[in-house]
């Protein structure tokens, strides 16, 4: 079973740089308080770490 993480959007992309908006969309997030379960890979972790003010890791599974 692959390791997964649950990511929740906690900040709004309004008045944020376009690259941060695109990172949120890449994670599958676009609305406040939406959650996604994603594979725990270095690329996903890098995306989450690049916008820590907009997302938080709720849970790590696996």
């Amino acid at each position: 079973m692959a390791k997964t993480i649950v990511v929740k959007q906690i900040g709004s992309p309004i008045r944020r740089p376009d690259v941060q908006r695109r990172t949120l969309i890449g994670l599958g997030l676009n609305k406040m308080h939406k959650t996604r379960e994603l594979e725990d890979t270095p690329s996903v972790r890098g995306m989450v770490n690049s916008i820590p003010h907009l997302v938080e890791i709720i849970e790590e599974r696996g």
Side-chain angles (χ1 to χ4, degrees), residues 14-16 18 21 26-27 29 39 46 50-51 55 61:
I14 295 173
R15 297 189 62 188
R16 300 285 181 193
D18 189 49
R21 290 176 188 258
L27 289 170
L29 301 170
E39 282 190 53
S50 70
I51 52 170
V55 298
R61 297 181 183 163

Side-chain angles (χ1 to χ4, degrees), residues 1-6 36-40 45 57-62:
M1 185 165 106
K3 290 181 72 172
T4 61
I5 56 175
V6 179
R36 285 289 310 254
E37 186 171 349
L38 304 167
E39 282 190 53
D40 191 5
R45 285 283 182 163
I57 296 175
I58 302 292
E59 183 180 355
E60 297 182 24
R61 297 181 183 163

Side-chain angles (χ1 to χ4, degrees), residues 29-59:
L29 301 170
N30 60 355
K31 294 182 181 171
M32 292 288 294
H33 309 294
K34 189 173 180 180
T35 60
R36 285 289 310 254
E37 186 171 349
L38 304 167
E39 282 190 53
D40 191 5
T41 62
S43 60
V44 170
R45 285 283 182 163
M47 292 171 79
V48 170
N49 290 338
S50 70
I51 52 170
H53 54 287
L54 297 178
V55 298
E56 70 178 356
I57 296 175
I58 302 292
E59 183 180 355

